[in-house]
Amino acid sequence: MPDSSSISARKSDHIRINLEQDVRSGLTTGLENYRFIHRAMPELDLSDVDLSQQVFGKRLQAPILISSMTGGNEEAAGINRLLAEAAQATGIAMGLGSQRAAIELPDLAPTFQVRQVAPDILLFANLGAVQLNYNYGIAECQRAVDMIQADALILHLNALQEAVQPEGNTHFAGLADKIETICKALPVPVIVKEVGWGFSEQDARRLADAGVSAIDVAGAGGTSWSQVEMHRAKDESQARLAAAFINWGIPTAEAILNVHRAAPELMIIASGGLRSGVEIAKCIALGANLGGMAGPFLKAAARSSEAVIQTIQEIQREVQVTMFAAGARGIDQLKSTPLNHE
Ligand SMILES: Cc1cc2nc3c(=O)[nH]c(=O)nc-3n(C[C@H](O)[C@H](O)[C@H](O)COP(=O)(O)O)c2cc1C
């Protein structure tokens, strides 16, 4: 297992590569194939369109999540603080990056702690699900939640990313049962999330049976972690292995439909390549409750705190105008708004 300093160094690599390189998937999200039916007579006032909803006991002012990204070193601490301040100012949700580094080395915990600047937001802790096969259990999951006073825990699944990196943790056998144990024991909701390759119906059904409270589909069409690993590769052969997977994964639109079919009652977080409020609204009409973005918020955070707030406000306004022009007064109505498929 790599030590904590190597995890911190890897986090810096991830931020740098995501900011400097083109790491997009070769696939698109599939959302471009869906269109709302325009309502010339929405029979609504724009100002009456309500984007708010209750999620895990917290009120969100808009169906937007800053997806799990970082923590574990000083640079990441600054990014987390800035993102959290913006989430607090706008009333949206946020996930922290994998907290494994701080579980191994508690001195790193402050790089994840954002409650001082974001006391009210819906906040998600994060660990790699595969760590459950590397001596992590209920105690580590609880520590991740307590460390940041989280409202829920995300366990991320990144089998392909681990498989194309030399230091990868690739022991993925038997994870479903371990996830089930965590769901039963943890007092907060457990969300399971991909990192950019989506979920099949089969996997979504198994996770629903395991008792997860939500699935974040993190489908293909946005940040590709095999592409990120290609840029981190130490030799040509390793780079070629990672590059072979540029077109891998289940596009975000398809992944939402898969989860919705497999577990119609389950909360769905849509993410993976979402780049506008119109796209978030489409995801909700396809069955999601909210939409997450990672790459775009990282790029805004690299500019300034104002840039993050402005990005959130622009996305929020796009969701609102989409709902208005599609005739949906609230999130529940948006969920049952039809989409044309081309
Ligand atoms: C710099 C960076 C770091 C990330 N680290 C994590 C992580 O620690 N845990 C996790 O679950 N997902 C992580 N992700 C994945 C995102 O949460 C998201 O699922 C993925 O990037 C797809 O969304 P996007 O296309 O909007 O970027 C990271 C993404 C970025 C850009």
Side-chain angles (χ1 to χ4, degrees):
M1 182 183 283
D3 63 20
S4 301
S5 62
S6 75
I7 300 177
S8 288
R10 194 178 340 148
K11 295 288 152 195
S12 289
D13 284 353
H14 287 163
I15 292 171
R16 181 181 46 76
I17 292 167
N18 272 284
L19 288 175
E20 292 174 5
Q21 307 287 342
D22 180 0
V23 290
R24 270 173 308 175
S25 167
L27 301 178
T28 62
T29 60
L31 292 167
E32 67 281 8
N33 300 320
Y34 291 90
R35 248 185 322 108
F36 280 103
I37 299 163
H38 173 66
R39 298 292 304 275
M41 292 202 298
E43 294 289 338
L44 272 176
D45 291 355
L46 178 60
S47 59
D48 286 341
V49 173
D50 179 10
L51 280 71
S52 72
Q53 66 179 317
Q54 200 83 0
V55 177
F56 298 140
K58 292 259 170 94
R59 191 109 207 127
L60 295 186
Q61 294 309 319
I64 306 172
L65 164 72
I66 299 174
S67 290
S68 309
M69 277 188 276
T70 201
N73 59 39
E74 277 315 305
E75 181 190 16
I79 292 172
N80 280 339
R81 189 184 176 88
L82 214 142
L83 293 172
E85 280 169 356
Q88 173 75 23
T90 53
I92 67 164
M94 174 175 170
L96 272 312
S98 170
Q99 292 162 254
R100 180 175 156 211
I103 297 282
E104 317 265 322
L105 194 67
D107 283 356
L108 294 177
T111 67
F112 293 92
Q113 288 163 339
V114 295
R115 275 296 186 207
Q116 316 87 290
V117 296
D120 305 312
I121 65 170
L122 179 64
L123 187 65
F124 300 146
N126 190 296
L127 283 175
V130 76
Q131 295 311 320
L132 300 175
N133 275 344
Y134 291 83
N135 299 321
Y136 277 38
I138 296 159
E140 285 75 17
C141 290
Q142 186 68 55
R143 268 164 60 196
V145 170
D146 293 344
M147 184 194 298
I148 62 160
Q149 297 166 262
D151 300 294
L153 172 69
I154 292 177
L155 291 173
H156 70 259
L157 288 164
N158 63 339
L160 180 54
Q161 183 192 5
E162 298 287 346
V164 299
Q165 55 178 287
E167 70 272 48
N169 294 146
T170 51
H171 180 20
F172 273 74
L175 269 188
D177 287 347
K178 293 195 175 165
I179 290 173
E180 187 163 348
T181 305
I182 302 299
C183 291
K184 287 200 176 113
L186 221 62
V188 296
V190 175
I191 302 164
V192 171
K193 163 180 183 296
E194 241 289 344
V195 299
W197 292 295
F199 283 91
S200 66
E201 253 186 275
Q202 185 184 3
D203 290 344
R205 197 166 298 120
R206 179 65 188 95
L207 288 169
D209 290 345
V212 304
S213 297
I215 289 179
D216 181 336
V217 301
T223 306
S224 159
W225 281 88
S226 51
Q227 286 298 99
V228 176
E229 294 302 337
M230 181 193 77
H231 287 288
R232 285 185 66 233
K234 298 275 183 295
D235 61 58
E236 284 296 310
S237 166
Q238 199 193 318
R240 275 196 298 275
L241 173 65
F245 293 91
I246 186 168
N247 293 324
W248 192 268
I250 300 170
T252 297
E254 205 178 312
I256 295 167
L257 294 174
N258 285 344
V259 179
H260 197 52
R261 267 193 302 269
E265 306 304 323
L266 196 63
M267 180 189 298
I268 299 174
I269 300 173
S271 72
L274 305 187
R275 296 298 176 256
S276 73
V278 179
E279 290 180 342
I280 290 179
K282 285 183 185 180
C283 292
I284 294 172
L286 287 175
N289 295 65
L290 63 155
M293 298 184 189
F297 288 128
L298 179 66
K299 292 193 171 88
R303 298 208 305 278
S304 64
S305 65
E306 293 74 30
V308 183
I309 292 182
Q310 191 182 342
T311 304
I312 296 168
Q313 286 171 340
E314 285 176 8
I315 296 165
Q316 187 170 356
R317 187 69 171 165
E318 277 175 24
V319 177
Q320 189 188 23
V321 173
T322 303
M323 289 169 68
F324 177 60
R329 182 188 294 272
I331 297 294
D332 276 346
Q333 248 180 308
L334 179 60
K335 275 190 188 161
S336 53
T337 300
L339 286 168
N340 277 333
H341 185 250
E342 287 156 7

